[in-house]
Amino acid sequence: MTVSSAPGKVYLFGEHAVVYGEPAVPCAIERRARVTVEQRADDKLRVQADNLSLDGFTVEYGGRTDGHPDVDVPEHLITAAMGYVDEAIEQVRDVTEEPDAGFDVIIESDIPLGAGLGSSAAVVVAAIDAATRELGATLEVDELAERAFQTEYAVQDGQASRADTFCSATGGAVRVEGEDCRRIDAPDLPIVIGFDGGAGETGELVSGVRALREEYAFAADTVETIGNVVRRGEAALEDGNLEEVGRLMDFNHGLLSALGVSSRSLDTMVWAARDADALGAKLTGAGGGGCIVALDQTEASETALRFTPGCEDAFRAELAETGVKRLE
Ligand code: MEV
């Protein structure tokens, strides 16, 4: 039996635009998916996800023994999660040259599904790492990140960047621009997350931005402008200038809204944090619903979010310095 965990992430800057070659800066957070893998005697795959939780928001279901998990999360999220695990195991079979390897897989995660915190990337990274080790191979972190990216790329019909998977594999704050992925230094970031209890459909949201970009030159300009905001954001991070980082996060949120990927509840949470004098606030991830990320050194944003209708949970998140962890 082998066990690996990998962290979720928030985007400080650059989601969506990164799909078109602009830079992005995601940052790993201490919310993890833990995957336990045991090789089977046959070539089958059995996946059990006992507990996918966030404080005050827990869903439970008991595996796929009859093909119909007992779930209280939307079916499409479960189907999506299982699609990621299936494809991750295909990558493992390929890299280890063991096409007939079968596994029992248990997923435990405290990252809500599809909510912009990188749940699928964390599950994929941890699953590939644990299953390859179960077969006696250990991947370098770069190769692990690449295999995890190939998994997302396949499941999302080619609409994926390397940002989520690289960040989850390596940990820390990272910069991704096309194939160029690296860790960057970031100051201590007072990250606050608000969660509306919902989720967005990444594939649909990415396709929506693609369509807008093709229809309107100004939408293509908006994507490019996000790239410019990211470059300024990187400089502000390097200087440790959190006020400027926050201002640019606000700007980034406005541009994402213009591209149609925000929602009423995301906007409401962003404004709750701004009204509480957060340094800045924006949606994180694909959007449509899920989470916002705010920067606030005081307790004010977290408190304001807790009292905001439509905000299901609010919490502070620490930067995860370590990406994948090999636990057993
Ligand atoms: C989703 O977490 C982030 C997107 O930029 C898609 C991607 O980068 O693969 C929307």
Side-chain angles (χ1 to χ4, degrees):
M1 186 185 80
T2 47
V3 188
S4 298
S5 79
K9 55 108 223 339
V10 291
Y11 272 88
L12 295 175
F13 304 108
E15 54 273 88
H16 284 288
V18 69
V19 175
Y20 308 99
E22 300 294 341
V25 179
C27 173
I29 56 166
E30 274 307 340
R31 290 264 163 177
R32 287 183 171 264
R34 206 171 96 110
V35 179
T36 303
V37 174
E38 187 148 24
Q39 190 173 8
R40 294 170 62 104
D42 58 24
D43 62 356
K44 300 219 164 20
L45 177 64
R46 181 177 186 277
V47 181
Q48 188 185 336
D50 285 331
N51 176 342
L52 304 171
S53 68
L54 185 74
D55 290 351
F57 175 84
T58 302
V59 293
E60 291 189 350
Y61 62 102
R64 282 208 305 183
T65 42
D66 59 358
H68 292 286
D70 169 22
V71 291
D72 61 359
V73 288
E75 182 77 33
H76 75 266
L77 288 179
I78 300 304
T79 311
M82 294 311 151
Y84 284 107
V85 177
D86 284 349
E87 186 56 39
I89 295 301
E90 279 310 313
Q91 291 291 329
V92 172
R93 290 174 174 144
D94 183 59
V95 74
T96 56
E97 297 178 0
E98 296 214 34
D100 298 325
F103 301 96
D104 286 331
V105 177
I106 300 173
I107 302 168
E108 297 157 281
S109 176
D110 51 19
I111 312 166
L113 288 173
L117 297 185
S119 55
S120 58
V123 167
V124 165
V125 166
I128 294 177
D129 190 70
T132 44
R133 289 192 301 113
E134 178 71 4
L135 297 180
T138 302
L139 299 180
E140 296 291 330
V141 169
D142 280 353
E143 165 98 48
L144 174 63
E146 181 60 26
R147 290 286 172 170
F149 163 65
Q150 293 301 338
T151 302
E152 288 215 328
Y153 191 80
V155 177
Q156 292 169 204
D157 295 328
Q159 305 197 98
S161 74
R162 287 178 159 76
D164 288 28
T165 38
F166 182 77
C167 185
S168 189
T170 60
V174 307
R175 178 193 201 274
V176 173
E177 184 170 6
E179 292 186 12
D180 177 24
C181 305
R182 53 199 146 94
R183 263 184 89 134
I184 58 172
D185 288 333
D188 245 359
L189 294 166
I191 296 173
V192 177
I193 291 172
F195 175 41
D196 69 5
E201 293 210 37
T202 302
E204 270 178 29
L205 290 152
V206 172
S207 300
V209 172
R210 184 179 300 276
L212 276 181
R213 218 174 138 259
E214 278 161 15
E215 187 168 357
Y216 301 113
F218 51 78
D221 292 346
T222 304
V223 169
E224 242 178 72
T225 304
I226 290 177
N228 292 332
V229 171
V230 178
R231 288 180 197 95
R232 291 291 287 263
E234 281 176 68
L237 281 168
E238 223 163 86
D239 297 345
N241 184 345
L242 293 188
E243 275 82 18
E244 175 79 349
V245 172
R247 250 193 315 274
L248 293 164
M249 286 170 66
D250 285 341
F251 216 114
N252 195 161
H253 181 76
L255 296 168
L256 288 165
S257 278
L259 292 172
V261 297
S262 192
S263 70
R264 187 180 291 268
S265 58
L266 292 173
D267 284 345
T268 304
M269 292 191 291
V270 160
W271 277 106
R274 288 177 184 167
D275 285 345
D277 288 334
L279 297 170
K282 62 182 278 297
L283 70 83
T284 173
C291 292
I292 64 132
V293 53
L295 291 189
D296 192 345
Q297 275 139 339
T298 75
E299 299 301 308
S301 293
E302 191 180 338
T303 307
L305 283 164
R306 284 192 190 288
F307 288 99
T308 300
C311 177
E312 191 130 322
D313 199 4
F315 54 93
R316 208 164 259 290
E318 298 293 323
L319 177 84
E321 283 294 349
T322 309
V324 67
K325 281 190 187 167
R326 293 165 175 158
L327 303 168
E328 275 180 51

